[in-house]
Amino acid sequence: MNSDQINRINELARKKKAVGLNAQETKEQQKLRQEYLKSFRKNFRAQLDNIEIVDDEK
């Protein structure tokens, strides 16, 4: 997910609040949100997989 796509998500969200979206924009917004969530989950999972627990009490 690049910054242009995130900016477009934000632009559509602002427009939805201000004047509403047409059917094509609604579909685009849903598609971009799904891509964002997929990317977020992938990155979050990678961060969790790289966590190493260190126990000093041994």
Side-chain angles (χ1 to χ4, degrees):
M1 175 106 332
N2 62 40
S3 62
D4 291 337
Q5 291 172 315
I6 294 172
N7 289 338
R8 181 65 178 155
I9 291 171
N10 292 331
E11 179 183 325
L12 289 170
R14 285 190 295 273
K15 183 176 180 186
K16 183 178 180 180
K17 285 183 179 181
V19 294
L21 300 176
N22 63 34
Q24 182 181 4
E25 290 170 331
T26 301
K27 286 181 183 179
E28 179 186 4
Q29 184 183 42
Q30 290 173 349
K31 180 181 172 231
L32 288 170
R33 284 182 174 175
Q34 290 303 315
E35 289 177 21
Y36 175 80
L37 287 173
K38 183 178 176 182
S39 174
F40 176 85
R41 289 179 183 125
K42 179 182 172 188
N43 291 333
F44 190 69
R45 173 56 59 190
Q47 286 180 359
L48 290 177
D49 290 342
N50 287 324
I51 292 175
E52 182 179 330
I53 298 174
V54 178
D55 189 2
D56 291 335
E57 295 182 18
K58 287 186 176 183

